[in-house]
Amino acid sequence: MDRVVDLDEAAAVLMERVARWRSAGLAVGEMTWRDWEAEWPQPLETDRARVHDPDSLGLVISGSAEAELSVVLFRGGWADVDFFDGLDDAGSLPACDIESAADFAARMDQWIVRVFGDLGGVR
């Protein structure tokens, strides 16, 4: 798999946002990592140190009314993004051609608003 997005950089930009998300009342799960070199079935690890060659980074964020956003970013430049807004809307969001950790961060900000609404200016 091509290395388009540096997953460690992507994790760092997510961590920059975690406090803001939590201040807005969102529950942020632990990041999960998958190792490209691990034997099948490749386990998900929460300890980055246990992953030699990461090929994916995952995160689940939950809000009120059972709203949830699940994102798995792949180093190849795409993500699996699934959501449930807690009311009557659920599905997948488009997430291809991600060019960098900064691009991923900008998209993540959009997905948060899509699923949980405006966080009310929480910084």
Side-chain angles (χ1 to χ4, degrees), residues 64-68 83-89 115:
S64 62
E66 298 182 21
E68 186 171 277
F83 75 97
F84 174 64
D85 76 0
L87 301 171
D88 58 359
D89 195 13
V115 176

Side-chain angles (χ1 to χ4, degrees), residues 70-74 78-82 93 95:
S70 171
V71 178
V72 179
L73 174 65
F74 295 89
W78 72 92
D80 292 339
V81 182
D82 297 307
L93 299 173

Side-chain angles (χ1 to χ4, degrees), residues 32-87:
T32 58
W33 300 85
R34 188 176 74 176
D35 195 328
W36 176 258
E37 296 178 358
E39 290 186 32
W40 187 260
Q42 296 161 309
L44 297 179
E45 301 286 349
T46 56
D47 181 357
R48 170 62 178 91
R50 295 179 51 98
V51 178
H52 174 69
D53 187 17
D55 76 324
S56 74
L57 167 65
L59 185 65
V60 175
I61 302 170
S62 303
S64 62
E66 298 182 21
E68 186 171 277
L69 175 65
S70 171
V71 178
V72 179
L73 174 65
F74 295 89
R75 69 181 181 197
W78 72 92
D80 292 339
V81 182
D82 297 307
F83 75 97
F84 174 64
D85 76 0
L87 301 171

